[in-house]
Amino acid sequence: VILAGGSGTRFWPASRRALPKQLLPIAPPTGDPFDELGANDSLLARTVRRIGPFCPPERILVATGKDLLDQTRRALPSLPASSFLAEPFPRNTAACIAWATAVIARATPQALVMALPSDHHLVDVRLFHSTLERALESAEGGLITTAGIPPTRPETGYGYIELGGEIEPGLHRVARFVEKPSLPVAEQYVSGGNHVWNSGMFFFRADVLLGAVARHMPDLARGLARIDQAAAVGPEREEAETTRVFEALEAVSIDYGLMEKLTELNVVTASFGWTDLGSWASVWELAQKDELGNSAPADVLLMEAEGNLVRDLGGKPRVTALVGVRDLCVIQTDDALLIMPRERSQDVRLVVDELRRRGKDDYL
Amino acid sequence: VILAGGSGTRFWPASRRALPKQLLPIAPPTGDPFDELGANDSLLARTVRRIGPFCPPERILVATGKDLLDQTRRALPSLPASSFLAEPFPRNTAACIAWATAVIARATPQALVMALPSDHHLVDVRLFHSTLERALESAEGGLITTAGIPPTRPETGYGYIELGGEIEPGLHRVARFVEKPSLPVAEQYVSGGNHVWNSGMFFFRADVLLGAVARHMPDLARGLARIDQAAAVGPEREEAETTRVFEALEAVSIDYGLMEKLTELNVVTASFGWTDLGSWASVWELAQKDELGNSAPADVLLMEAEGNLVRDLGGKPRVTALVGVRDLCVIQTDDALLIMPRERSQDVRLVVDELRRRGKDDYL
């Protein structure tokens, strides 16, 4: 199950309502031969390709919003039409993962499921594959399992997982989930060695997850049961009932709605160079850069320019020239241009808010 | 005679081979009711409108390059076709002014002529008009007359005129023309009060100028005589001979080739807020700015941005957002984007040189 319903604004002007982050080709090549084929693909396409060795196309479900269905299909031309699940309303990850799992469980009640975000990046594809193997093995044993990344810096933008008892090297019980920490707390987590970043990936047997939903999110479980009954009648009834059920569901993350309530959960830890690519600054950090620290397409003219990120996601040929500027993000599309210091990347939301205030919805 | 043959690169990406500075709408409104009508017009169109009270359209000659003729005509739709003179080869201002004057002298040997650059800006249109009156009066008396502006800063990018004997307040003989000075010298000029900026405007009787050309530029005078003889035969012969003559002419400015050699020359001085608009930085200096020093179209989003010049000379709607940047020039056209600190404005030529080196002639 690939979660592809996001609608972030942190990558404006590249990301739009109709073109959210996971559909953008913003991650750098990893140098891994497996990954290299489509290094310019969207985050979503690369996510799907990465799980190729574990999952044939017909066993992949991509869950996205109704309004993003067409673009999402186009981004994954190798998947059959049956691979796409369209959420009638956005109801966060708990509803989405549980629903997709219920759909899988109709045919295969004990199916082994991976639920993966589609808008993250990782560098070490081999290590990721072996992490998937270990996580699936743990899930097969009956415990919901997540993946955690040993922190390499005191990141305050991520959730953390506190490690519990070690089962074997690299596999622990989860002690607890921790919200985004303050900087001093994050620094303790890094030096303490007992916390990992929460990657948002989950591995489980379908019956195990649905059992947990039944215990801890009874409203959601009842809704899913109604959808199952409607599906037994036929696809039209199923669609109508899904719409009714989703409209009434609470929007809650699976971490908050379910995982934090479970007493037994495993976490596989591995340093496969994971990042959630949270801003243009993080795109620059990951990107290949010239000797002056610029990451820009080859045809951009850089004259005494240092530390800049330049991206043109428009479709038309044009020339961009930077003279004597430092540490800027310069992002173009066919109808928008954003210029800001890299360190102000989080403030893209100011622009999005202001566009909304001015009623410039065409640019959102 | 309006000199409209320029082909500067200092306003790239707005200025191109096919769209030189005088065809760009880069000067700010002056607030003068006379000027306000077309405050968004090109520098050339505003130059022509400013002399309206002195010269009916059929007495205006706009001299431009052959390759710029179409755009120049389009920029001045109110002028008749007979108003345009196309130089077959660019040969600087001496050839251009003398040629245009010879054309005028065929019908009116003692015509009073103003020769004005088309790519400058001035603020006080009333004072400019009274300056023209005085300059024409002086020219009518038989001396070539120029206009000088008392310097308001030690500008090293302009030529200066050293004032000679005062004829009456605001009218002097020219002591000598001075090339662009060093900063210490320019500072002396400003404090000394005996030097004015050379505006490049000249006022003269046609016979006086042509007499001076005959004495000091005999090759040019001979060429003009050949063109006159061909013109007497017919327009086709005239055009062919003009091409032949221009090809062989030396390219030299009228200051260097003629004016500096004359012993008697007048200069009218007046502070009408003249500038040659030499760079994007000077556009910013003259422009109306918001309270944070930004000059940008109203639909540009400025979030904690200060001191920036933003211009979009493209034809398509798009949104531009600046977050937290200072003192930049951000210039867009439909096929190019330039970003540089204002203080680096002179380095636009680096970009133009680099584009040429890369063979990207489409963008020049």
Side-chain angles (χ1 to χ4, degrees):
Chain A
V1 175
I2 310 288
L3 307 173
S7 63
T9 55
R10 287 178 297 179
F11 287 91
W12 189 89
S15 62
R16 304 291 177 97
R17 278 178 308 207
L19 194 67
K21 176 184 165 195
Q22 65 270 17
L23 297 181
L24 298 176
I26 50 175
T30 58
D32 185 291
F34 180 84
D35 187 68
E36 215 139 82
L37 282 168
N40 292 318
D41 281 352
S42 64
L43 296 173
L44 171 61
R46 292 173 72 175
T47 300
V48 168
R49 190 173 54 250
R50 275 199 298 262
I51 58 166
F54 289 78
C55 199
E58 64 274 15
R59 295 224 202 135
I60 293 177
L61 280 182
V62 178
T64 187
K66 213 168 187 169
D67 47 344
L68 292 175
L69 186 58
D70 287 347
Q71 299 94 295
T72 303
R73 276 186 173 142
R74 274 199 298 274
L76 298 168
S78 64
L79 293 194
S82 57
S83 285
F84 297 88
L85 282 180
E87 297 171 280
F89 298 96
R91 289 296 181 260
N92 213 327
T93 51
C96 179
I97 292 175
W99 175 47
T101 303
V103 170
I104 293 167
R106 285 177 206 156
T108 319
Q110 298 203 319
L112 212 48
V113 179
M114 315 191 256
L116 307 176
S118 63
D119 61 346
H120 296 170
H121 177 64
L122 57 88
V123 176
D124 190 336
V125 181
R126 313 272 132 159
L127 184 54
F128 175 66
H129 284 164
S130 67
T131 307
L132 291 187
E133 268 174 43
R134 301 191 66 189
L136 289 168
E137 207 177 299
S138 160
E140 208 159 19
L143 283 194
I144 297 176
T145 302
T146 183
I149 296 89
T152 52
R153 60 179 188 279
E155 174 66 55
T156 58
Y158 295 161
Y160 285 70
I161 294 168
E162 183 181 325
L163 299 178
E166 183 178 87
I167 297 154
E168 57 182 62
L171 182 66
H172 292 74
R173 280 285 192 278
V174 170
R176 59 181 186 108
F177 287 84
V178 201
E179 297 285 302
K180 295 174 184 178
S182 64
L183 185 62
V185 172
E187 282 166 346
Q188 283 173 28
Y189 289 171
V190 174
S191 59
N194 205 35
H195 290 79
V196 291
W197 288 334
N198 178 359
S199 70
M201 305 178 196
F202 293 100
F203 309 82
F204 46 81
R205 274 204 343 245
D207 58 339
V208 171
L209 185 100
L210 293 171
V213 169
R215 279 192 301 283
H216 298 286
M217 304 186 78
D219 287 349
L220 176 55
R222 269 190 295 275
L224 296 177
R226 279 168 49 199
I227 295 173
D228 274 351
Q229 285 156 17
V233 179
E236 273 176 42
R237 276 287 294 279
E238 180 184 6
E239 192 181 336
E241 192 63 29
T242 305
T243 302
R244 265 193 297 275
V245 167
F246 263 77
E247 186 163 21
L249 283 178
E250 200 187 352
V252 56
S253 76
I254 197 150
D255 296 61
Y256 182 80
L258 188 66
M259 300 303 171
E260 294 182 11
K261 294 169 179 159
L262 302 180
T263 48
E264 293 208 305
L265 211 82
N266 281 350
V267 55
V268 180
T269 63
S271 301
F272 44 79
W274 171 90
T275 165
D276 86 341
L277 268 180
S279 67
W280 287 115
S282 66
V283 170
W284 177 84
E285 276 154 25
L286 292 171
Q288 286 215 309
K289 292 178 273 287
D290 66 20
E291 66 278 10
L292 293 173
N294 299 294
S295 170
D299 58 353
V300 170
L301 273 68
L302 298 162
M303 324 293 290
E304 300 167 40
E306 292 180 28
N308 302 286
L309 174 75
V310 184
R311 290 291 182 272
D312 187 347
L313 293 106
K316 295 170 318 145
R318 60 183 152 191
V319 67
T320 297
L322 274 61
V323 179
V325 293
R326 277 170 171 273
D327 300 331
L328 294 182
C329 294
V330 175
I331 316 295
Q332 292 180 83
T333 66
D334 282 338
D335 66 355
L337 166 65
L338 171 67
I339 303 174
M340 63 185 174
R342 283 191 349 251
E343 60 178 23
R344 297 291 300 265
S345 291
Q346 297 300 337
D347 292 332
V348 171
R349 62 179 170 71
L350 296 179
V351 176
V352 173
D353 290 348
E354 180 65 16
L355 285 171
R356 201 170 285 130
R357 205 183 62 76
R358 294 192 187 185
K360 301 226 172 200
D361 289 7
D362 288 354
Y363 298 108
L364 293 175
Chain B
V1 175
I2 309 288
L3 307 174
S7 63
T9 55
R10 288 178 296 179
F11 287 91
W12 189 90
S15 63
R16 304 290 177 98
R17 277 179 309 207
L19 195 67
K21 177 185 165 197
Q22 66 270 19
L23 297 180
L24 298 176
I26 51 175
T30 58
D32 185 291
F34 180 84
D35 188 68
E36 216 142 80
L37 281 168
N40 292 319
D41 281 353
S42 64
L43 295 175
L44 171 61
R46 292 174 73 175
T47 299
V48 167
R49 190 173 52 251
R50 275 198 300 261
I51 58 166
F54 289 79
C55 201
E58 65 274 15
R59 293 219 204 140
I60 293 176
L61 279 182
V62 178
T64 186
K66 213 166 186 165
D67 46 343
L68 292 175
L69 186 59
D70 287 347
Q71 301 94 294
T72 303
R73 278 187 174 142
R74 273 198 299 274
L76 297 168
S78 64
L79 293 194
S82 57
S83 284
F84 297 88
L85 282 180
E87 297 171 281
F89 298 96
R91 289 297 182 261
N92 213 325
T93 50
C96 179
I97 292 176
W99 175 47
T101 302
V103 170
I104 292 166
R106 284 178 208 156
T108 318
Q110 295 201 322
L112 211 47
V113 179
M114 311 192 257
L116 307 175
S118 62
D119 61 347
H120 296 170
H121 178 63
L122 57 89
V123 176
D124 190 337
V125 182
R126 310 275 134 159
L127 185 53
F128 176 64
H129 283 164
S130 66
T131 307
L132 291 188
E133 267 174 44
R134 301 190 67 188
L136 289 169
E137 206 176 301
S138 160
E140 211 161 15
L143 283 195
I144 298 176
T145 301
T146 182
I149 295 90
T152 51
R153 60 179 189 279
E155 174 67 55
T156 58
Y158 294 161
Y160 286 70
I161 294 170
E162 184 183 322
L163 299 179
E166 185 181 84
I167 297 154
E168 56 182 63
L171 182 67
H172 292 72
R173 281 284 191 279
V174 170
R176 58 182 187 106
F177 288 84
V178 200
E179 297 285 302
K180 295 174 185 177
S182 65
L183 185 60
V185 172
E187 282 166 346
Q188 283 173 27
Y189 289 172
V190 174
S191 59
N194 205 36
H195 289 79
V196 291
W197 289 334
N198 178 357
S199 70
M201 305 177 195
F202 294 100
F203 308 83
F204 47 80
R205 274 202 345 244
D207 57 338
V208 171
L209 185 101
L210 294 172
V213 169
R215 280 190 301 281
H216 298 286
M217 304 185 79
D219 287 349
L220 175 54
R222 269 190 295 274
L224 296 178
R226 279 168 51 198
I227 295 174
D228 274 351
Q229 285 155 17
V233 179
E236 273 178 41
R237 276 287 293 280
E238 179 184 4
E239 192 182 335
E241 192 62 30
T242 304
T243 302
R244 264 192 298 272
V245 167
F246 262 78
E247 186 163 20
L249 284 178
E250 202 187 350
V252 55
S253 76
I254 196 150
D255 298 58
Y256 182 80
L258 187 65
M259 300 303 171
E260 293 182 10
K261 293 170 181 158
L262 301 180
T263 48
E264 292 206 306
L265 213 79
N266 281 351
V267 55
V268 179
T269 62
S271 301
F272 45 80
W274 172 90
T275 164
D276 87 339
L277 269 180
S279 67
W280 287 116
S282 66
V283 169
W284 176 85
E285 277 153 24
L286 292 173
Q288 287 215 308
K289 294 178 271 285
D290 66 20
E291 66 279 11
L292 293 174
N294 299 293
S295 170
D299 58 352
V300 170
L301 274 68
L302 297 163
M303 326 292 291
E304 299 168 42
E306 292 179 27
N308 302 285
L309 174 75
V310 185
R311 290 291 181 274
D312 187 345
L313 292 108
K316 294 170 316 145
R318 60 184 152 190
V319 68
T320 297
L322 273 61
V323 180
V325 293
R326 279 170 168 272
D327 300 331
L328 294 183
C329 294
V330 176
I331 316 294
Q332 292 180 82
T333 66
D334 282 337
D335 66 355
L337 166 65
L338 170 67
I339 302 174
M340 63 184 174
R342 282 194 348 250
E343 59 176 25
R344 297 292 300 266
S345 290
Q346 297 300 337
D347 292 332
V348 172
R349 62 181 170 72
L350 296 179
V351 176
V352 173
D353 290 348
E354 181 64 16
L355 285 170
R356 201 169 285 131
R357 206 183 62 76
R358 293 191 187 186
K360 301 226 172 198
D361 288 6
D362 289 354
Y363 298 108
L364 293 176

